[in-house]
Coordinates of all heavy atoms in Angstrom, one line a residue:
M4 N 0.8 -1.2 0.0 CA 0.0 0.0 0.0 C 0.9 1.2 0.0 O 1.9 1.3 0.6 CB -0.9 0.0 1.2 CG -1.7 1.3 1.3 SD -3.0 1.3 2.6 CE -4.3 0.4 1.8
I5 N 0.4 2.3 -0.7 CA 1.1 3.6 -0.7 C 0.4 4.4 0.4 O -0.8 4.5 0.5 CB 0.9 4.3 -2.0 CG1 1.5 3.5 -3.2 CG2 1.5 5.7 -2.0 CD1 1.1 4.0 -4.6
S6 N 1.3 5.0 1.3 CA 0.8 5.9 2.3 C 1.3 7.3 2.1 O 2.5 7.4 1.9 CB 1.3 5.4 3.7 OG 0.7 4.1 4.0
I7 N 0.4 8.2 2.1 CA 0.7 9.6 2.0 C 0.3 10.3 3.2 O -0.9 10.2 3.6 CB 0.1 10.3 0.7 CG1 0.6 9.6 -0.6 CG2 0.5 11.7 0.6 CD1 -0.4 8.6 -1.1
D8 N 1.2 10.9 3.9 CA 0.8 11.6 5.1 C 1.1 13.1 4.9 O 2.2 13.5 4.6 CB 1.7 11.1 6.3 CG 1.2 11.6 7.6 OD1 0.2 12.2 7.7 OD2 2.0 11.3 8.6
F9 N 0.1 13.9 5.0 CA 0.2 15.4 4.9 C 0.4 15.9 6.3 O -0.3 15.5 7.2 CB -1.0 16.0 4.2 CG -1.1 15.8 2.7 CD1 -1.7 14.7 2.2 CD2 -0.5 16.7 1.9 CE1 -1.8 14.5 0.8 CE2 -0.5 16.5 0.5 CZ -1.1 15.3 0.0
F10 N 1.3 16.9 6.4 CA 1.6 17.5 7.7 C 0.8 18.9 7.7 O 0.8 19.6 6.7 CB 3.1 17.8 7.9 CG 3.9 16.6 7.6 CD1 4.9 16.6 6.7 CD2 3.7 15.4 8.2 CE1 5.7 15.5 6.4 CE2 4.4 14.2 7.9 CZ 5.5 14.3 7.0
A11 N 0.2 19.2 8.8 CA -0.6 20.4 8.9 C -0.3 21.1 10.2 O -0.1 20.4 11.2 CB -2.1 20.1 8.8
A12 N -0.3 22.4 10.2 CA -0.2 23.2 11.4 C -1.0 24.4 11.3 O -1.0 25.1 10.3 CB 1.3 23.6 11.6
Q13 N -1.9 24.6 12.3 CA -2.7 25.8 12.4 C -3.6 25.9 11.1 O -3.7 27.0 10.5 CB -1.9 27.0 12.7 CG -1.2 26.9 14.0 CD -0.2 28.1 14.2 OE1 -0.1 29.0 13.3 NE2 0.4 28.1 15.4
G14 N -4.1 24.8 10.6 CA -4.9 24.9 9.4 C -4.2 24.9 8.0 O -4.9 24.9 7.0
A15 N -2.9 25.0 8.0 CA -2.1 25.1 6.8 C -1.3 23.8 6.6 O -0.8 23.2 7.5 CB -1.2 26.3 6.8
L16 N -1.2 23.3 5.4 CA -0.4 22.2 5.1 C 1.1 22.6 5.1 O 1.4 23.7 4.5 CB -0.7 21.6 3.7 CG -2.1 21.0 3.6 CD1 -2.4 20.5 2.2 CD2 -2.3 19.8 4.6
T17 N 1.9 21.9 5.7 CA 3.3 22.2 5.8 C 4.2 21.2 5.1 O 5.5 21.4 5.2 CB 3.7 22.3 7.3 OG1 3.5 21.1 7.9 CG2 2.9 23.4 8.0
G18 N 3.7 20.2 4.5 CA 4.5 19.2 3.8 C 3.8 17.9 3.7 O 2.6 17.8 4.0
F19 N 4.5 16.9 3.2 CA 4.0 15.6 3.1 C 5.1 14.5 3.0 O 6.3 14.9 2.8 CB 3.1 15.5 1.8 CG 3.9 15.6 0.5 CD1 4.5 14.6 -0.1 CD2 4.1 16.9 0.0 CE1 5.2 14.7 -1.3 CE2 4.8 17.1 -1.2 CZ 5.4 16.0 -1.8
S20 N 4.7 13.3 3.3 CA 5.6 12.2 3.0 C 4.8 11.1 2.3 O 3.6 11.0 2.5 CB 6.2 11.6 4.3 OG 5.3 10.9 5.1
A21 N 5.5 10.4 1.4 CA 4.8 9.3 0.6 C 5.8 8.2 0.6 O 7.0 8.3 0.4 CB 4.5 9.8 -0.8
H22 N 5.3 7.0 0.8 CA 6.1 5.8 0.8 C 5.2 4.6 0.5 O 4.0 4.6 0.7 CB 6.9 5.6 2.1 CG 6.0 5.4 3.3 ND1 5.5 4.2 3.6 CD2 5.6 6.3 4.2 CE1 4.8 4.3 4.7 NE2 4.8 5.6 5.1
G23 N 5.9 3.6 -0.1 CA 5.2 2.3 -0.3 C 5.0 1.9 -1.8 O 5.5 2.6 -2.7
H24 N 4.3 0.9 -2.0 CA 4.0 0.3 -3.3 C 2.6 -0.2 -3.4 O 2.1 -0.7 -2.4 CB 5.0 -0.8 -3.6 CG 5.0 -1.3 -5.0 ND1 3.9 -2.1 -5.5 CD2 5.9 -1.2 -6.0 CE1 4.2 -2.4 -6.8 NE2 5.4 -1.9 -7.1
A25 N 1.9 0.1 -4.4 CA 0.5 -0.3 -4.5 C 0.3 -1.8 -4.7 O -0.8 -2.3 -4.4 CB -0.1 0.5 -5.7
D26 N 1.3 -2.5 -5.2 CA 1.1 -3.9 -5.4 C 0.0 -4.3 -6.3 O -0.6 -5.4 -6.1 CB 1.0 -4.7 -4.1 CG 2.3 -4.6 -3.2 OD1 3.4 -4.6 -3.8 OD2 2.1 -4.4 -2.0
T27 N -0.3 -3.5 -7.3 CA -1.4 -3.8 -8.2 C -0.8 -4.3 -9.6 O -1.5 -4.8 -10.4 CB -2.3 -2.6 -8.5 OG1 -1.5 -1.5 -9.0 CG2 -3.0 -2.2 -7.2
A28 N 0.5 -4.1 -9.8 CA 1.2 -4.5 -11.0 C 2.7 -4.5 -10.7 O 3.1 -4.1 -9.6 CB 0.9 -3.5 -12.1

């Protein structure tokens, strides 16, 4: 599974991280 985690502070997005593989192909 691909996981994307968005970072937020005081209602604003401050970044993200993405990792993994979907394993669909």
Side-chain angles (χ1 to χ4, degrees):
M4 175 171 279
I5 300 169
S6 293
I7 301 99
D8 192 9
F9 284 91
F10 312 125
Q13 301 172 356
L16 294 176
T17 60
F19 64 91
S20 70
H22 62 86
H24 189 288
D26 295 323
T27 58

